[in-house]
Amino acid sequence: MPLPKAELHLHIEGTLEPELLVTIARRNELSLPTMDVAELRAEYLFDDLQTFLDLYYRNVAVLRTEQDFYELAAAYLRRAHADGVRRAEIFFDPQQHLRNGVPLAVVMSGLSAALADARAAQGISADLILCFLRDLGGDAAKEMLHAALPFRDQFIGVGLDSAEMGYPPSLFREVYAMAAAEDLRRVAHAGEEGGPDYVWEALDILGAERIDHGIRALEDASLVQRLREERIPLTVCPLSNVALRAVPTLADHMLPAMLDEGLLVTVNSDDPAYFGGYVEQNFEAVGAQLGFGGDVLAQLAENSFEACFATPEQRAGWNAELREAVSRQTAQATETLGRNT
Ligand code: HPA
Ligand code: ZN
């Protein structure tokens, strides 16, 4: 049984599996280079963040209707529920949909309906975080936030994603100040391809409460100290880092070093349709490849609840479930050991 956990770094557009991609493209009478699922999946090999983003934005362009967004989010939430996810804080990229001619109201209503239905049917707690595309710059981000304010009750925070290099967090100072004034939570991708200076800027200039990826923070000891002392969460995505070649192999991943430094790290899937696994597969992969035992995996699950934006009462409830799951596992392991000796 997967451990109860929260998923905090997940782009809903990155959950578009080739099967659903083809279904939606056909329904909307849009063409792709091929309609063959295996051929589409064979394209999912990347050299870096940009080669991934090129394919991701091409595929995102099939999403046009409320039903498309509903089906996309509903499929993710079903998978997440099966993976033990109790809480999901989900990124979406509205600027890309607007560029494709899809009104914000269509995106919001499709996603919000799927979240509400999953809450009712599966008891999963989920909220949306609106991401700004950093390569479109600070003014476009301000326009985006302004356009999104009529939907303020349908998202809990803002994030920053897309091409990182050359687009430092400092470009987004004003839009993050606007978001803070609206009581929106603030997170930002930083330190995936960019250096520790991007993480510093996200903290000091944007007031980011959580850093997405942040793997390159380890290169700066004083930054590590700051992250540790302030218990700033880092949402690490191990399979993503391998797929986009931020690390050569999973065995080389810095996650153990980050844990040794006492950082509040969590494990997440990022764009699971593209990177070879949903959140439980990320947990299994780090367990197998980094030699993490049940105690470390439970720590990572506990961290995910500490790092999430749910209420203290909700977090206490999930932590209690987690403790029960861990003691059940321990009891089973002891029983198996007893039978074998
Ligand atoms: N990094 C940056 N931007 C993104 C990603 C990512 O992994 N996925 C979707 N947009
Ligand atoms: Zn991401």
Side-chain angles (χ1 to χ4, degrees):
M1 276 288 283
L3 291 173
K5 58 176 77 66
E7 178 152 50
L8 308 178
H9 187 156
L10 180 282
H11 302 264
I12 198 63
E13 296 89 348
T15 69
L16 184 55
E17 294 285 347
E19 291 80 3
L20 187 59
L21 172 66
V22 168
T23 301
I24 293 178
R26 284 198 208 285
R27 191 164 66 208
N28 293 338
E29 299 181 359
L30 295 167
S31 64
L32 293 164
T34 167
M35 289 292 186
D36 183 272
V37 166
E39 284 177 21
L40 286 166
R41 202 177 283 285
E43 293 182 312
Y44 289 14
L45 288 172
F46 312 106
D47 296 325
D48 54 18
L49 178 58
Q50 192 57 53
T51 51
F52 155 70
L53 289 170
D54 293 344
L55 188 71
Y56 168 87
Y57 291 129
R58 185 201 77 189
N59 289 347
V60 159
V62 304
L63 301 168
R64 298 290 159 130
T65 68
E66 189 176 326
Q67 184 187 0
D68 301 341
F69 288 94
Y70 180 92
E71 288 176 4
L72 179 70
Y76 163 68
L77 288 161
R78 273 194 303 274
R79 287 292 303 253
H81 182 249
D83 276 2
V85 172
R86 301 295 194 270
R87 166 79 182 160
E89 297 179 3
I90 300 174
F91 297 137
F92 68 115
D93 285 333
Q95 282 166 297
Q96 192 61 29
H97 306 306
L98 287 171
R99 277 209 283 208
N100 293 332
V102 183
L104 189 58
V106 168
V107 179
M108 299 306 309
S109 52
L111 296 178
S112 293
L115 268 53
D117 285 355
R119 198 171 296 129
Q122 287 135 0
I124 190 165
S125 163
D127 279 302
L128 296 171
I129 296 178
L130 185 158
C131 280
F132 305 116
L133 302 185
R134 57 209 309 159
D135 39 336
L136 297 187
D139 288 342
K142 278 193 283 186
E143 266 176 52
M144 183 66 245
L145 181 57
H146 194 69
L149 286 181
F151 305 93
R152 167 67 186 84
D153 60 340
Q154 293 180 59
F155 61 102
I156 59 163
V158 297
L160 192 59
D161 67 0
S162 198
E164 184 174 4
M165 300 303 283
Y167 303 99
S170 53
L171 299 175
F172 302 90
R173 178 198 300 268
E174 290 177 21
V175 73
Y176 271 70
M178 282 167 63
E182 293 291 336
D183 266 338
L184 286 159
R185 309 307 299 245
R186 284 160 293 159
V187 302
H189 282 53
E192 178 185 16
E193 288 191 337
D197 49 325
Y198 279 37
V199 179
W200 279 112
E201 283 191 10
L203 298 175
D204 289 337
I205 299 178
L206 306 185
E209 302 167 74
R210 203 159 70 197
I211 298 294
D212 296 311
H213 292 297
I215 52 176
R216 292 195 56 197
L218 277 185
E219 296 167 24
D220 180 339
S222 56
L223 177 59
V224 169
Q225 188 181 358
R226 163 97 181 264
L227 294 167
R228 177 174 49 238
E229 286 177 1
E230 296 185 15
R231 288 196 78 62
I232 295 163
L234 303 167
T235 62
V236 174
C237 305
L239 291 176
S240 162
N241 295 147
V242 176
L244 300 187
R245 304 194 190 186
V247 298
T249 73
L250 208 49
D252 304 303
H253 203 282
M254 49 293 264
L255 188 58
M258 296 173 93
L259 285 166
D260 286 347
E261 288 284 2
L263 297 177
L264 181 57
V265 287
T266 68
V267 164
N268 309 269
S269 69
D270 207 2
D271 300 281
Y274 294 89
F275 299 152
Y278 286 76
V279 65
E280 181 62 10
Q281 285 162 295
N282 274 268
F283 269 71
E284 283 168 5
V286 296
Q289 298 295 316
L290 298 172
F292 290 167
D295 51 340
V296 181
L297 298 176
Q299 181 67 55
L300 289 165
E302 194 181 327
N303 288 356
S304 73
F305 292 131
E306 180 175 344
C308 81
F309 293 141
T311 64
E313 294 74 28
Q314 285 176 304
R315 290 189 279 154
W318 296 322
N319 271 319
E321 276 189 69
L322 174 61
R323 282 192 298 274
E324 269 175 44
V326 169
S327 48
R328 258 198 315 275
Q329 275 183 358
T330 312
Q332 272 164 4
T334 314
E335 199 186 298
T336 312
L337 204 67
R339 262 204 308 273
N340 294 342
T341 50

